[in-house]
């Protein structure tokens, strides 16, 4: 199950990011790929050692922390810091691959990748191709979102970015360790949360919404690993 988070970044943040990205340096994306992914990966990644990367990182994390939808959809416990990648006809694609399951952060902490998040920084009108395809069991989801919107999907899915044939596609991506590791349990909590919100919006706060909120927290308390 994937989720779209519309307008995670507002126009001002997108503009700030665009200016920072314009003056940044890039390197081959192959440097951070695992043994099987390196065979199919041909894109560029923003060098992390430069000052602009730190600012980009802060803008993105601030937007995530301010987004209630992001927190309720991911139940995020830890985040592996964002990477910025770029596809163009010279470095067009990333073939079907699985991401590594556990990542080591620069602060020495390990992050288990439960969910992947891609934040689209280019508008679909700026490039051709460059579709994110997620293979989920027998289904194939093909996704291109407007600039500033994000896609959250299970990190254990086979996925790929098809060749960009024209223009430039820039995106940020990162991994999330959720408090709730099992997708099935997390998905139940998300459904329950969304139904409680809908009930609140139509009926206001009632004994029943209070009771269901209690159930939500009992389940989260049972399932959360922190
Ligand atoms: Ni990947």
């Amino acid at each position: 199950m994937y989720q779209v988070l519309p307008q995670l970044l507002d126009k001002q943040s997108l503009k700030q990011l665009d200016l920072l990205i314009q003056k940044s340096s890039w390197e081959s994306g192959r440097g951070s790929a695992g043994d099987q992914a390196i065979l199919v990966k041909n894109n560029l990644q923003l060098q992390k050692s430069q000052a602009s990367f730190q600012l980009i990182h802060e803008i993105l994390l601030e937007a995530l922390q301010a987004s209630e939808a992001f927190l309720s959809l991911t139940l995020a416990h830890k985040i592996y810091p964002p990477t910025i990648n770029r596809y163009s006809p010279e470095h067009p694609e990333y073939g079907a691959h699985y991401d590594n399951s556990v990542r080591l952060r620069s602060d020495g902490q390990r992050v288990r990748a439960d969910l992947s998040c891609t934040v689209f920084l280019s508008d679909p009108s700026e490039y051709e191709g460059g579709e994110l395809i997620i293979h989920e069991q027998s289904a194939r989801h093909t996704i291109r979102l407007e600039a500033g919107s994000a896609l959250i999907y299970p990190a254990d899915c086979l996925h790929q970015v098809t060749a960009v044939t024209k223009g430039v596609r820039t995106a940020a991506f990162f991994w999330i360790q959720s408090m709730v590791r099992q997708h099935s349990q997390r998905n139940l909590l998300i459904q329950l949360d969304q139904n409680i919100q809908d009930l609140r919006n139509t009926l206001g706060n009632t004994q029943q919404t209070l009771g269901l909120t209690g159930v939500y927290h009992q389940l989260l308390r049972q399932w959360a690993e922190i």
Side-chain angles (χ1 to χ4, degrees):
M1 187 167 93
Y2 70 85
Q3 307 274 352
V4 175
L5 212 55
Q7 293 160 356
L8 174 71
L9 297 169
D10 57 22
K11 290 226 160 14
Q12 200 195 342
S13 308
L14 272 175
K15 207 168 179 181
Q16 277 180 305
L17 286 174
D18 192 40
L19 290 172
L20 287 165
I21 287 171
Q22 271 181 37
K23 57 179 186 186
S24 297
S25 313
W26 299 83
E27 62 190 7
S28 165
R30 289 197 166 115
S32 67
D35 289 348
Q36 53 94 25
I38 201 167
L39 303 172
V40 292
K41 188 174 189 184
N42 183 7
N43 66 0
L44 292 178
Q45 274 173 202
L46 202 108
Q47 283 176 3
K48 292 194 174 181
S49 52
Q50 55 197 327
S52 58
F53 179 75
Q54 195 49 42
L55 294 169
I56 291 168
H57 185 182
E58 280 166 23
I59 292 170
L60 286 167
L61 286 189
E62 233 170 70
L64 294 178
Q65 272 152 14
S67 168
E68 276 184 34
F70 174 79
L71 295 173
S72 68
L73 290 176
T74 60
L75 297 168
H77 177 36
K78 290 186 203 171
I79 288 177
Y80 184 85
T83 303
I84 311 294
N85 61 20
R86 171 163 277 185
Y87 297 84
S88 64
E90 293 75 40
H91 298 276
E93 68 192 321
Y94 195 169
H97 65 281
Y98 288 101
D99 291 343
N100 288 352
S101 50
V102 178
R103 300 257 160 188
L104 184 62
R105 229 163 44 180
S106 60
D107 61 5
Q109 284 216 39
R110 288 185 199 280
V111 178
R112 187 187 64 233
D114 296 321
L115 293 165
S116 296
C117 181
T118 296
V119 185
F120 290 76
L121 300 177
S122 303
D123 212 60
S125 60
E126 295 171 40
Y127 59 94
E128 286 177 11
E131 291 156 330
L132 175 57
I133 298 184
I134 298 163
H135 304 249
E136 208 177 9
Q137 287 143 13
S138 56
R140 264 167 75 107
H141 310 291
T142 301
I143 294 133
R144 281 169 116 231
L145 298 180
E146 62 183 54
S149 294
L151 183 83
I152 298 165
Y153 60 98
D156 49 9
C157 287
L158 185 69
H159 59 284
Q160 69 193 95
V161 176
T162 63
V164 167
T165 52
K166 200 173 170 188
V168 175
R169 174 198 191 273
T170 308
F173 73 91
F174 56 92
W175 292 279
I176 300 143
Q177 178 172 330
S178 177
M179 289 189 283
V180 178
R181 176 183 193 154
Q182 298 295 337
H183 297 317
S184 56
Q185 292 175 335
R186 189 183 328 107
N187 291 341
L188 278 179
L189 286 169
I190 293 169
Q191 280 178 44
L192 183 55
D193 189 28
Q194 285 171 345
N195 279 288
I196 295 170
Q197 298 296 343
D198 289 350
L199 276 177
R200 270 212 194 104
N201 291 338
T202 28
L203 302 174
N205 281 314
T206 63
Q207 274 306 108
Q208 288 73 22
T209 57
L210 180 66
L212 289 171
T213 304
V215 171
Y216 175 89
H217 284 288
Q218 294 292 357
L219 288 174
L220 181 57
R221 198 173 280 112
Q222 270 189 44
W223 292 337
E225 299 164 40
I226 46 178

